[in-house]
Amino acid sequence: MKLLIDVDALVKMAHWRMLPELPGSLDISWSNCATVSSLKFRASRAATEPDGKLFISTQAAQAAVLAIAEMSELAEPLPGHLELFQDISGIDAGEAILFAGIMGDDSTYVLTGDKRALRALSN
C-alpha cells in the first residue's frame, strides 16, 4: 500500500501531535508515503518561525519536517490524469496532483483533510 498525504491532513495531524502515529495506525512505513514537495520547504521555514497560516507552532512544523524526511518523493502524475482535476472548483493544485497520482493504481490511497476537495470529487 502507498499513501499520498494532502498538506491539510499532514499539517492537522502534526498540530494534533498525531503525525508520528500515522504509519503504525495504518500498518505502513513512512517510505511508502509521499506528499507535495512544497510542504517540505514550508515546514522547514516554520520549524524556526511559524508562519501563522499553515503552521502555528514550531513543534508541528518540526514533526512535519521529520515525517517528510522519511517519505518517498511524489511521482509525477501522467499529464492526462492531472488535467482531469485542474479546473475543478474546490480542488487546489496540490490535491489535483495527489488525486491524479492514484488513478489506475488500486494500491495507492489519498489522505486528505479538505472537505471542499472531497465534495468536489463527489460531483
Side-chain angles (χ1 to χ4, degrees):
M1 176 171 102
K2 295 178 195 170
L3 183 66
L4 307 183
I5 308 171
D6 180 46
V7 169
D8 296 325
L10 194 144
V11 170
K12 286 176 184 175
M13 292 188 79
H15 280 96
W16 295 333
R17 296 187 174 104
M18 295 173 58
L19 191 56
E21 306 303 321
L22 181 63
S25 66
L26 296 176
D27 195 26
I28 189 172
S29 67
W30 280 123
S31 63
N32 286 328
C33 299
T35 191
V36 294
S37 60
S38 61
L39 184 56
K40 176 181 180 179
F41 304 106
R42 289 190 73 179
S44 293
R45 283 193 306 267
T48 56
E49 181 70 35
D51 59 16
K53 296 178 182 174
L54 194 58
F55 290 101
I56 57 172
S57 77
T58 56
Q59 293 85 3
Q62 290 165 357
V65 168
L66 290 174
I68 293 167
E70 299 295 321
M71 292 182 190
S72 296
E73 293 288 321
L74 185 62
E76 287 286 324
L78 297 173
H81 291 172
L82 185 57
E83 290 170 7
L84 295 172
F85 300 100
Q86 285 183 320
D87 294 323
I88 299 177
S89 177
I91 297 178
D92 68 32
E95 292 156 349
I97 291 168
L98 298 181
F99 294 147
I102 64 170
M103 289 189 65
D105 186 350
D106 292 341
S107 66
T108 302
Y109 300 87
V110 171
L111 176 65
T112 183
D114 192 326
K115 294 180 284 283
R116 286 185 37 209
L118 294 174
R119 282 188 204 106
L121 276 179
S122 70
N123 291 330

